[in-house]
Structure formats: C-alpha cells, structure tokens
Amino acid sequence: GVTLAVENVWNKLILSPRDMLEFVDQFDSPHLRVYFDVGNVLAFGYPQHWIRALGPRIARVHVKDFNTDPGGRAGFTQLLHGEVDWPATLAALQAVGYRGWITPEVPPYPHLHESWLHELSGAMDVIMSYYPT
C-alpha cells in the first residue's frame, strides 16, 4: 500500500512528459506515481504542459523557481524570483484534479533565517492564491 513517487530531476533519464509517462506506466502499478518538481522542468519545458500530460499520476508536488538565464544550477532562485508561470501552473494542477501537498523546495538563507521564513511564507501565500481550496 506504499506509493513510490519518482521525481523529475536533472539526471537525463526523463526529459519530457512522454518519458515520464513511459517510465511510470511500464510498471502498470497504482503504487508508482510522480513527485512533480515545477522548477526542474523549466530548463527544457513548461510545468503546466507536464502537469496536464501527467494528470492523475502526480502524487506530490515540489515548488521552486528557476531562471533560464543564467540557467544550470545557478538558475534556481527563491520563489517568485524566477520564470515559473504560477497562474498557469496552478491552473493546470486544478484542471487535473490534484489535491495533494504542495511543498516548497528552496534553500534557506545562510544567516537571516527569520527573514527567509517570512519571504517563503509570503511567496507561498501568493502561489496558493492561484489555487482554490
């Protein structure tokens, strides 16, 4: 009864929604699903396209933001500072009926922890405002 959720990471195994669908579906198990990471796809796609393709296979969601310029690991940034189209991304999650956790995956500031928590909380409030409860 345990669900194993595979995350789309930069390991060059899964580069498109089709790759993820083929990987997950080959096991023909309701217990193998997707842990979808919004920011990880921006280097080569759009989160809303992946979400609509993966639909009910999505078990959980990570949110983080990304800038394609400069790209690479340096492209990851705090929420709302990157290029994720949050209204389109959250609309896609709503359209596929996703009702699970939405977890931020962002690095903390090295010293100003309270400041980071306030910024993170405010960013999550903005992001979730696009997702009706």
Side-chain angles (χ1 to χ4, degrees):
V2 173
T3 296
L4 176 63
V6 178
E7 184 174 350
N8 53 301
V9 297
W10 288 13
N11 62 2
K12 298 184 183 171
L13 171 67
I14 298 171
L15 297 174
S16 72
R18 182 178 298 140
D19 293 343
M20 183 64 89
L21 289 169
E22 288 177 10
F23 183 80
V24 170
D25 289 352
Q26 74 179 323
F27 294 97
D28 194 27
S29 171
H31 301 293
L32 183 64
R33 296 180 61 206
V34 176
Y35 202 130
F36 183 69
D37 190 307
V38 170
N40 281 351
V41 302
L42 263 175
F44 42 84
Y46 300 97
Q48 59 270 27
H49 297 162
W50 279 64
I51 291 164
R52 290 182 190 278
L54 299 175
R57 292 172 185 86
I58 298 173
R60 292 289 181 265
V61 174
H62 272 159
V63 292
K64 65 180 161 216
D65 222 329
F66 186 78
N67 288 308
T68 56
D69 182 25
R73 287 200 173 279
F76 290 107
T77 186
Q78 297 299 322
L79 295 174
L80 306 180
H81 293 253
E83 298 172 27
V84 171
D85 182 341
W86 294 109
T89 298
L90 277 289
L93 286 170
Q94 181 182 9
V96 300
Y98 181 76
R99 294 288 179 257
W101 293 97
I102 296 177
T103 308
E105 184 185 28
V106 295
Y109 297 155
H111 302 290
L112 304 170
H113 302 294
E114 189 171 322
S115 213
W116 173 77
L117 284 173
H118 286 292
E119 182 178 347
L120 177 60
S121 176
M124 286 301 292
D125 287 346
V126 169
I127 290 166
M128 295 309 295
S129 74
Y130 296 110
Y131 196 74
T133 54

